[in-house]
Amino acid sequence: MNVTALEEYGLRCAVQLASLPEGKTLSAPDIAEREGLSIEYVSKFMLLLKRAELVRTVRGIKGGFALSRQPAEISLKEVLDALNGRKKAGSEFCKSFTGKSEACVRFGSCSIRPFWDLLSGYVEEFTSRMTLADLVRPEEEIREKTSSIASDHVGQMRNRELRS
Amino acid sequence: MNVTALEEYGLRCAVQLASLPEGKTLSAPDIAEREGLSIEYVSKFMLLLKRAELVRTVRGIKGGFALSRQPAEISLKEVLDALNGRKKAGSEFCKSFTGKSEACVRFGSCSIRPFWDLLSGYVEEFTSRMTLADLVRPEEEIREKTSSIASDHVGQMRNRELRS
DNA sequence: CTGAAACAATACTTTTTTGTACGGATTTTA
DNA sequence: TAAAATCCGTACAAAAAAGTATTGTTTCAG
C-alpha cells in the first residue's frame, strides 16, 4: 500500500493553489518553479484536476490555474481520486484476477477482503474529511483534526457492530 | 494509495499456510492450485517470504512451505513489508525527488508530510496488530478486532496531543 | 495584427511493476 | 542410484506508471 507519484506531486500542486489569495491564478511555470518540478509534469496534473472540475483555468498570456471551489470545500479524497483515476482499491481484486480462475477462488467466504475493506474504509473517511484548507494551516492543527476524525470512526464502527 | 499485486496475492499465499494444521507443509503447486495462480508466481512470493524469515521450507520431493512462527505471532505488517520490500511510504518522498531541486522544496515547513504520516501511521498500527491468525477466522470476528484497534488509536492520539 | 506566453492534448520514452520461463540444486522413493 | 518432485534463483517479456516532448489553440500586449 503506497502513495503514487501522481497523488504526491499532484496534491502538492493543488495545495499551491489553495494557498493563493482569492481570485488570483497561478501559471504552470509558476507552480513548477515553486515545487521544483518540470513544467510538463505539472501540466499533466493540472489537466487531471481540471477534468475533475476541481480547477478552473484561464488561457492565454497572463492565464493560469485556480481552484474552482473554496479550499475548505475540496476534500483530499476528491483530489486524490482525480489524480489516481479510479484504481482497483480493495474489492476490485475479486473480479479482475490474474490467475487461471475466472474470478477469485474465495468467492463465497473470504476474510482477506473485509480486512482491506476496513482499512481502505478508514483511509476514505480520513481523506474525505480532510480538505485542502487543512493543508495550508500549520502542522499542529492537522493533528487536532485527525484526532476527531479517528474518534468518529470508532463511533461508526461501534454502531455497525450493534446493528449486526 | 493502492494495494500492490504482490501484497494482495502474497498475503493470500501466507493465509493458505496459516490455515494449515501444525507441522504440515504445502508445496508451491498446491498453493497455486488453491489460489488459482501460476506456480511460478507463487514461487516468487514464497521466496520473498522466506527471505524475510516468515516462512521455512523443506526441499526435495514431499517438500513445501510452512510458516516459521505461529500465525498469531505474525503480523500482517511483517508479511506486507516482506512482499513490498521497503517502499517509499510517506517521508521518503522528501529525499528522493523527481524534479530539479536536490530535495523537496518545503524542507522547513510542510503540512503535507504530517498528513501522509498520520494516515500511514494508522495503516501501520492497523496492520501491525492484525495477524495471519485473524484472517483464517470468520469475518465477523475481524470487525470486532478492528474496532478495538481503532479505539486504541484514538487514545494514543489524544495522548500525543496532551504531551505537545 | 502579430508575437509571446500561457493552457490543451496527445504521443513518446524511460522506469518500475507484474508475471512467466527455465536451468540448477536438493531430497525422497522405488 | 536414478527418476521424480520439489525449492532456488535469475533472466526475461509484457504491461503499467512516471516523466518528457511536441504541436496546437487561446489570449493579452504592443
Side-chain angles (χ1 to χ4, degrees):
Chain A
M1 211 174 198
N2 33 271
V3 178
T4 67
L6 285 167
E7 285 174 326
E8 174 71 28
Y9 299 120
L11 179 58
R12 294 183 186 198
C13 295
V15 170
Q16 285 293 345
L17 296 186
S19 62
L20 219 55
E22 179 81 38
K24 291 280 178 188
T25 69
L26 208 55
S27 71
D30 287 343
I31 300 172
E33 169 68 28
R34 295 190 186 193
E35 288 294 339
L37 298 170
S38 77
I39 298 173
E40 294 84 359
Y41 203 17
V42 168
S43 305
K44 191 173 190 169
F45 304 137
M46 299 319 289
L47 186 60
L48 293 172
L49 295 176
K50 182 207 162 76
R51 288 199 176 137
E53 298 184 358
L54 296 173
V55 151
R56 68 181 168 79
T57 62
V58 180
R59 296 186 67 159
I61 192 171
K62 279 291 178 188
F65 301 90
L67 295 179
S68 55
R69 281 182 271 150
Q70 294 297 321
E73 303 302 320
I74 298 178
S75 73
L76 300 191
K77 174 165 165 35
E78 288 179 278
V79 176
L80 298 177
D81 283 351
L83 294 165
N84 230 2
R86 292 269 142 259
K87 277 296 152 43
K88 56 175 161 191
S91 300
E92 289 307 305
F93 267 102
C94 303
K95 297 164 203 162
S96 73
F97 201 74
T98 189
K100 326 282 179 187
S101 333
E102 192 75 15
C104 176
V105 176
R106 312 170 196 274
F107 208 69
S109 160
C110 173
S111 55
I112 297 176
R113 195 52 34 211
F115 159 68
W116 287 125
D117 285 347
L118 284 160
L119 189 50
S120 58
Y122 183 82
V123 172
E124 278 207 11
E125 178 165 347
F126 188 80
T127 55
S128 293
R129 295 184 54 178
M130 296 286 293
T131 73
L132 286 176
D134 294 321
L135 295 194
V136 295
R137 277 201 280 272
E139 274 193 44
E140 305 78 50
E141 297 179 29
I142 292 184
R143 300 188 177 274
E144 204 174 320
K145 176 151 187 176
T146 54
S147 164
S148 81
I149 293 175
S151 51
D152 282 2
H153 183 66
V154 174
Q156 289 182 17
M157 289 205 302
R158 289 271 156 71
N159 287 339
R160 263 198 293 275
E161 252 183 276
L162 292 175
R163 277 202 307 277
S164 65
Chain B
M1 212 175 198
N2 34 273
V3 178
T4 68
L6 285 166
E7 284 174 325
E8 174 71 29
Y9 299 121
L11 179 58
R12 294 183 187 198
C13 295
V15 170
Q16 283 294 345
L17 297 186
S19 62
L20 219 54
E22 179 83 37
K24 291 280 179 187
T25 69
L26 208 56
S27 71
D30 286 343
I31 300 172
E33 167 69 29
R34 294 189 186 195
E35 288 295 340
L37 298 169
S38 77
I39 298 172
E40 295 84 359
Y41 203 16
V42 168
S43 304
K44 189 170 190 169
F45 303 137
M46 299 319 290
L47 185 60
L48 293 171
L49 294 175
K50 182 206 162 76
R51 287 198 176 136
E53 298 184 1
L54 297 173
V55 151
R56 68 181 169 79
T57 61
V58 179
R59 296 186 66 159
I61 192 172
K62 280 291 176 185
F65 302 90
L67 295 178
S68 55
R69 282 182 271 149
Q70 293 296 320
E73 303 302 319
I74 298 178
S75 73
L76 299 190
K77 173 165 166 36
E78 286 179 279
V79 176
L80 298 176
D81 283 351
L83 293 165
N84 229 3
R86 291 268 141 261
K87 277 296 152 40
K88 53 175 161 191
S91 299
E92 288 306 305
F93 269 102
C94 302
K95 297 166 203 162
S96 73
F97 201 73
T98 190
K100 327 281 181 190
S101 331
E102 193 75 15
C104 177
V105 176
R106 310 168 196 275
F107 209 69
S109 158
C110 174
S111 55
I112 297 177
R113 195 52 33 213
F115 160 68
W116 288 126
D117 285 347
L118 284 160
L119 189 50
S120 58
Y122 183 82
V123 172
E124 278 207 12
E125 178 165 348
F126 188 80
T127 55
S128 294
R129 295 184 53 176
M130 296 286 293
T131 73
L132 286 176
D134 294 322
L135 295 194
V136 296
R137 278 201 279 271
E139 275 192 42
E140 305 76 51
E141 296 180 28
I142 293 183
R143 299 185 178 276
E144 204 174 317
K145 176 151 187 176
T146 54
S147 164
S148 82
I149 293 174
S151 51
D152 283 4
H153 184 66
V154 173
Q156 290 183 16
M157 288 204 304
R158 289 271 156 69
N159 286 339
R160 264 198 294 275
E161 253 183 274
L162 291 175
R163 277 203 307 277
S164 66

